[in-house]
Amino acid sequence: MRWLGLVLCLLWLGWRLQSLWQGIQRWGRRDALSHAFHLELQRRRLVSIGP
């Protein structure tokens, strides 16, 4: 019975690590997207101000 608890513990740890990794990737992607969006806004503002 002891190995069953060990396997469950390992599975839970792997699941936590996977969700944590997905959260980190999601944050990084969101930062990149917001940065690109900000650059696009600046470019459009410059175009609209121009002649």
Side-chain angles (χ1 to χ4, degrees):
M1 283 303 286
R2 191 174 289 160
W3 61 267
L4 182 64
L6 187 68
V7 166
L8 283 174
C9 187
L10 283 173
L11 279 173
W12 184 80
L13 275 174
W15 171 70
R16 289 301 302 159
L17 278 172
Q18 187 183 14
S19 61
L20 184 71
W21 177 244
Q22 283 179 351
I24 289 170
Q25 283 184 323
R26 198 174 298 127
W27 269 108
R29 202 173 300 128
R30 186 182 300 155
D31 277 0
L33 276 174
S34 66
H35 184 66
F37 182 67
H38 188 69
L39 286 176
E40 181 67 22
L41 273 179
Q42 278 185 332
R43 194 176 65 82
R44 288 192 180 173
R45 196 174 296 134
L46 285 173
V47 165
S48 64
I49 288 173

